[in-house]
């Protein structure tokens, strides 16, 4: 069945990672979550053979009033979902993706709460499992994808979302490693709509 784990320690500096899957054909791992008041799930998968669920956990001792704002591939805001999640409660739902561009992946969500919660997207297909942790709402100007590969049947894809109210220009640099260190292999600019 579905559930969640909370590990606590009297010492600071606790970090964690977990794995899920059948450990034969599918396996996904991610770092443990950090409760946030405001966070974004930058990517929700929606193709014919796969759907994303949104999971929100309230690890605290008081109820959480949570609002989920969904955005389609074009960044258009969809009707909000509001839920009251009890202490140590979980809310899992599969958004209605009828608002997406058919056959496309790329919706996103913004989760706000009255108390810190953990939010994530879980994309499950017949052959793959993917976790998309909620990212804190921080004014960062840089994101790093530390493992980006292409070839031999494996490809990476970079997904950026813009939770702001105006478009953002982004410069993306692809670096490859060689005998003398990293070298910029390609560069491009893109505009991410609000």
């Amino acid at each position: 069945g579905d559930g969640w784990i909370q590990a606590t320690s009297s010492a600071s500096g606790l970090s964690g990672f977990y794995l899920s899957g059948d450990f034969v054909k599918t396996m996904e791992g991610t770092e443990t979550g950090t409760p946030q008041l405001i966070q974004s799930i930058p990517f929700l998968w929606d193709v014919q053979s796969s759907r994303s669920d949104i999971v929100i956990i309230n690890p605290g001792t008081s109820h959480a009033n949570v609002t989920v704002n969904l955005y389609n591939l074009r960044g258009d805001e969809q009707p909000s979902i509001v839920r009251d999640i009890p202490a140590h409660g979980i809310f899992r739902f599969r958004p209605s993706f009828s608002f997406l561009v058919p056959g496309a992946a790329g919706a996103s969500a913004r989760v706000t709460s009255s108390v810190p919660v953990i939010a994530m997207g879980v994309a499950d297909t017949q052959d793959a499992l993917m976790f998309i942790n909620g990212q804190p709402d921080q004014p960062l100007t840089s994101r790093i994808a530390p493992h980006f590969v292409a070839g031999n049947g494996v490809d990476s894809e970079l997904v950026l979302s813009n939770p702001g109210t105006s478009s953002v220009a982004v410069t993306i640099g692809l670096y490859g490693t060689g005998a003398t260190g990293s070298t910029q292999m390609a560069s491009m600019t893109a505009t991410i709509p609000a």
Side-chain angles (χ1 to χ4, degrees), residues 91-140:
F91 172 52
R92 183 180 185 128
F93 72 105
R94 180 164 292 158
S96 170
F97 281 103
S98 60
F99 61 84
L100 291 176
V101 176
S108 62
R110 182 177 172 92
V111 178
T112 57
S113 178
S114 58
V115 298
V117 296
I118 296 170
M120 75 180 313
V122 179
D124 196 358
T125 70
Q126 294 174 352
D127 299 325
L129 182 64
M130 180 171 56
F131 299 144
I132 307 97
N133 281 341
Q135 297 180 3
D137 189 27
Q138 298 174 345
L140 299 176

Side-chain angles (χ1 to χ4, degrees), residues 53-69:
D53 288 346
I54 294 177
V55 178
I56 303 171
I57 296 167
N58 176 6
T61 57
S62 61
H63 81 281
N65 186 344
V66 175
T67 301
V68 180
N69 297 95

Side-chain angles (χ1 to χ4, degrees), residues 44-46 51-52 54 68-81 93-109:
L44 296 168
W45 188 254
D46 180 51
R51 294 288 187 255
S52 291
I54 294 177
V68 180
N69 297 95
L70 296 166
Y71 302 88
N72 68 13
L73 181 62
R74 292 182 294 267
D76 303 324
E77 187 171 353
Q78 305 305 307
S80 298
I81 297 165
F93 72 105
R94 180 164 292 158
S96 170
F97 281 103
S98 60
F99 61 84
L100 291 176
V101 176
S108 62

Side-chain angles (χ1 to χ4, degrees), residues 34-42 67 69 71 109-113 116-119 133-143 161-166 168:
T34 302
Q36 307 285 332
L37 290 172
I38 303 170
Q39 55 199 298
S40 296
I41 301 172
T67 301
N69 297 95
Y71 302 88
R110 182 177 172 92
V111 178
T112 57
S113 178
V117 296
I118 296 170
N133 281 341
Q135 297 180 3
D137 189 27
Q138 298 174 345
L140 299 176
T141 59
S142 179
R143 289 285 183 180
S161 69
N162 175 14
T165 58
S166 59
V168 174

